[in-house]
């Protein structure tokens, strides 16, 4: 069982390259406040299957620092925020 957990962790760390374009902004948000920040992800096509909350930014999983929600499109996000 520990081997499977380790394999999963290594896999998630490998897929964390998806966050590369946003790393600096996410790091800034880490340090802004003690409470969890909201992060809305609007994935496209195959990215809908990526467990973003489980991905690592440095040594921390996103779910530990952010309340993560998803939206299928920016249009729908605007509609529900109105």
């Amino acid at each position: 069982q520990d081997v499977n957990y380790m394999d999963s962790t290594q896999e998630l760390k490998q897929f964390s390259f998806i966050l590369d374009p946003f790393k600096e902004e996410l790091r800034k948000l880490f340090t802004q406040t003690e409470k969890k920040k909201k992060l809305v992800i609007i994935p496209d096509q195959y990215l809908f299957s990526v467990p973003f909350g489980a991905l690592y930014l440095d040594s921390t999983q996103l779910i530990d620092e952010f309340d993560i929600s998803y939206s299928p499109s920016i249009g729908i996000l605007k509609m529900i925020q109105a």
Side-chain angles (χ1 to χ4, degrees), residues 32-51:
Q32 281 185 353
T33 179
E34 298 269 329
K35 66 179 192 172
K36 279 191 169 184
K37 285 70 64 188
K38 292 185 180 187
L39 179 64
V40 178
I41 297 173
I42 305 170
D44 188 31
Q45 294 181 345
Y46 302 110
L47 294 177
F48 273 100
S49 63
V50 174

Side-chain angles (χ1 to χ4, degrees), residues 44-79:
D44 188 31
Q45 294 181 345
Y46 302 110
L47 294 177
F48 273 100
S49 63
V50 174
F52 283 92
L55 295 181
Y56 284 85
L57 180 64
D58 303 324
S59 62
T60 305
Q61 286 184 296
L62 286 187
I63 195 70
D64 293 333
E65 295 291 330
F66 295 97
D67 277 331
I68 299 174
S69 58
Y70 295 85
S71 179
S73 73
I74 193 74
I76 290 178
L77 179 63
K78 287 180 181 178
M79 193 168 49

Side-chain angles (χ1 to χ4, degrees), residues 20-34:
D20 284 351
F22 314 102
K23 276 186 176 181
E24 289 308 311
E25 289 301 316
L26 291 170
R27 282 187 189 115
K28 287 178 193 173
L29 291 173
F30 274 16
T31 59
Q32 281 185 353
T33 179
E34 298 269 329

